[in-house]
Amino acid sequence: MDCRSRCLSIFDYKTEKFVIAKNKKVGLLYRLLQLGVLGYLLGWVFLVKKGYQAVDTTIQSSVITKVKGVAFTNTSELKEHLWDVADYVIPSQGENVFFVVTHMIVTPHQRQTTCAESPHVPGARCSQDSDCSKGEAADTGNGVMTGKCLLGGGNGSGTCEIFAWCPVEKPTKPTKPLLGKAEDFTVYIKNSICFPKFNFSKWETQAGQLTRLRPRGSTAPERRSPQSPEGCPRGDHRLSGPGAHPEAASCRTNVLHSENPNFLKFCRFSSKTPYCPVFRLGTIVSYTGNDFRKMAMEGGVIGIEIEWNCDLDQAPSACRPHYSFRRLDKFTEPSATAGYNFRFAKYYHDVDGVEFRTLMKVYGIRFDVLVSGKGAFFCDFVLLYLIKKSHFYRDKKYEQIRMSSQKFLSRHLVNGEQDSGHTAGQGPSGPANRS
């Protein structure tokens, strides 16, 4: 085809040609493919995956934790000591991340003075004073060198003298955890979640009845709970403040209603009570496939995952959390970098006003409460198209406003409100009344 023919082809008109094959096998295969696609859409997309629902994955969550349990120890450093929650939980506020002390190395009565550096510190060994640079510190040392070499052991070698908190920390630790009883401690986890995307809320009253707040634009009467003059049952949450919807977002809590007022005092999470929010620490560790005693010696990090997959078209009682547990830190065998530990000190003053401290290197388990989930909702489509009075809801949802451009331009705002044609401070028939 030459250039002239190609240019003229742009004015050609093309249309499709259909060929009908009179073949039952081909026709049957074609219809089966159509039915397969239709079955996939209806069965999998709509019924199983519920693709007709709007989904909110922007979950708003708050977590409150409270640990319970006591333990008694008797050591040479601490003597007889009773441990309660104020001693072994860090921090004490009860947040979504909390640390439980299971073991520690205690170095009591440390004072700022001179002493021998630990022989386990690289660069601390010496045979003469010139080996110890005055004013410098080893990379992993406990203090600053004074320039003296403290010989000992009769072999002509020793360690550098340092100015530090003395005596320095012992490098060894016992073979069993100090707080082995922490295995039986419990933690209460209260998780409240909201799905703010939807203009519809579901609540469960103390009697277990369902209270539905009306959708935006509906004039249908609102069912209120007898427990609250505000229409919000006890234990439920409403959003407030700038940007909040005038109704309430869909909010839930993992603390389910029980007729037994002592349920939370005695229940423990297990396969028989999967919705009890009270967890035994030893049970949590066992769910991750670890041994509590071994983990208590080295420390570690465990994730408590709370997953919410809520179909908000169903009753509120159907929206329940699913718990799972896994170890978050990588641990294969004991080493210098394995586990979880840190140091802190408690400071005191003697009768002469001289400061001293007790240094504690604590090992323990850090628990991270991780919340995720999604809420799915199908209300607007049902209200607008599938019920008998759908036209009523459509009229309330979509409001038409007609006004002339002249009236619109003549209006202005007075003290943040739209002027209706009257002067500020006056109503339709005169000055406004003030009580």
Side-chain angles (χ1 to χ4, degrees):
M1 182 181 292
D2 56 10
C3 181
R4 183 172 178 274
S5 299
R6 291 181 180 177
C7 294
L8 292 176
S9 66
I10 62 175
F11 299 104
D12 294 343
Y13 172 75
K14 301 177 181 66
T15 184
E16 295 181 358
K17 180 179 180 180
F18 294 92
V19 177
I20 300 177
K22 297 293 186 177
N23 188 302
K24 293 182 178 181
K25 293 183 178 180
V26 175
L28 179 61
L29 179 61
Y30 173 67
R31 296 304 177 188
L32 288 177
L33 290 175
Q34 286 183 321
L35 290 175
V37 173
L38 183 61
Y40 169 77
L41 292 176
L42 294 178
W44 179 257
V45 176
F46 285 92
L47 296 181
V48 178
K49 291 299 183 179
K50 298 184 178 180
Y52 55 84
Q53 292 180 321
V55 178
D56 185 8
T57 57
T58 309
I59 186 172
Q60 295 177 345
S61 171
S62 67
V63 175
I64 299 174
T65 58
K66 185 181 294 185
V67 182
K68 294 284 187 178
V70 294
F72 176 80
T73 61
N74 187 359
T75 63
S76 58
E77 295 86 1
L78 298 175
K79 309 302 181 184
E80 294 183 348
H81 190 87
L82 180 69
W83 298 83
D84 63 13
V85 65
D87 298 317
Y88 60 76
V89 175
I90 303 172
S92 59
Q93 290 88 350
E95 301 174 354
N96 62 325
V97 176
F98 61 96
F99 177 84
V100 176
V101 177
T102 57
H103 185 62
M104 66 174 59
I105 299 175
V106 181
T107 309
H109 306 296
Q110 283 189 324
R111 298 175 183 269
Q112 290 195 11
T113 181
T114 58
C115 58
E117 179 62 282
S118 170
H120 298 277
V121 174
R125 293 188 175 274
C126 61
S127 58
Q128 53 187 353
D129 292 345
S130 59
D131 296 332
C132 305
S133 302
K134 185 177 181 180
E136 295 184 2
D139 292 339
T140 58
N142 296 285
V144 178
M145 298 179 186
T146 63
K148 296 182 179 179
C149 179
L150 302 180
L151 300 177
N155 56 359
S157 65
T159 56
C160 294
E161 184 186 62
I162 57 172
F163 178 79
W165 286 96
C166 300
V168 297
E169 181 183 274
K170 298 178 181 178
T172 58
K173 61 180 180 181
T175 56
K176 63 180 182 177
L178 177 66
L179 292 180
K181 293 293 184 180
E183 185 176 9
D184 296 321
F185 294 169
T186 61
V187 57
Y188 164 66
I189 301 177
K190 181 179 180 180
N191 177 214
S192 301
I193 57 107
C194 289
F195 297 104
K197 177 179 178 180
F198 305 113
N199 303 327
F200 190 83
S201 296
K202 295 184 178 182
W203 309 88
E204 189 173 12
T205 67
Q206 293 298 311
Q209 298 177 348
L210 174 64
T211 300
R212 290 182 176 231
L213 298 179
R214 55 189 176 182
R216 178 184 294 179
S218 173
T219 59
E222 178 180 343
R223 292 181 55 190
R224 295 181 179 268
S225 168
Q227 279 83 358
S228 170
E230 306 292 334
C232 183
R234 219 169 17 190
D236 291 327
H237 305 272
R238 288 176 178 262
L239 296 182
S240 60
H245 192 267
E247 303 294 346
S250 295
C251 301
R252 296 295 295 153
T253 177
N254 66 327
V255 183
L256 304 181
H257 167 69
S258 174
E259 298 295 340
N260 183 3
N262 296 321
F263 175 72
L264 293 179
K265 293 183 179 180
F266 300 103
C267 81
R268 297 293 182 268
F269 177 85
S270 66
S271 58
K272 296 182 179 180
T273 54
Y275 301 115
C276 174
V278 182
F279 304 82
R280 179 176 171 269
L281 299 188
T283 303
I284 294 176
V285 175
S286 66
Y287 283 144
T288 66
N290 290 268
D291 180 77
F292 185 89
R293 293 273 173 167
K294 294 180 179 179
M295 194 171 184
M297 286 297 298
E298 299 292 338
V301 183
I302 286 181
I304 303 175
E305 300 175 342
I306 306 177
E307 184 178 10
W308 297 82
N309 288 322
C310 298
D311 186 350
L312 302 181
D313 294 315
Q314 299 182 9
S317 59
C319 179
R320 294 185 175 183
H322 173 73
Y323 300 96
S324 59
F325 313 90
R326 61 190 177 98
R327 186 163 183 175
L328 300 180
D329 65 311
K330 185 177 181 181
F331 182 84
T332 54
E333 59 183 16
S335 64
T337 59
Y340 188 87
N341 65 78
F342 59 90
R343 294 174 176 84
F344 70 93
K346 295 183 178 180
Y347 294 85
Y348 311 91
H349 289 84
D350 60 17
V351 293
D352 297 326
V354 179
E355 185 181 46
F356 67 98
R357 73 178 188 181
T358 297
L359 177 66
M360 299 181 181
K361 181 180 181 181
V362 295
Y363 299 79
I365 304 174
R366 194 184 81 180
F367 296 89
D368 294 5
V369 183
L370 311 173
V371 183
S372 62
K374 62 181 180 180
F377 195 44
F378 187 51
C379 181
D380 272 0
F381 185 80
V382 176
L383 289 175
L384 297 177
Y385 301 104
L386 299 183
I387 65 175
K388 292 182 178 180
K389 296 184 178 181
S390 59
H391 64 279
F392 172 78
Y393 290 99
R394 285 198 299 269
D395 292 341
K396 295 300 180 181
K397 183 177 180 69
Y398 305 107
E399 183 177 357
Q400 296 182 0
I401 300 176
R402 294 184 178 89
M403 61 176 64
S404 64
S405 59
Q406 183 178 359
K407 290 182 179 180
F408 178 79
L409 294 175
S410 64
R411 296 193 172 200
H412 57 277
L413 295 178
V414 179
N415 294 329
E417 298 180 355
Q418 189 173 26
D419 185 16
S420 59
H422 308 288
T423 58
Q426 293 185 351
S429 59
N433 295 327
R434 296 181 181 270
S435 58

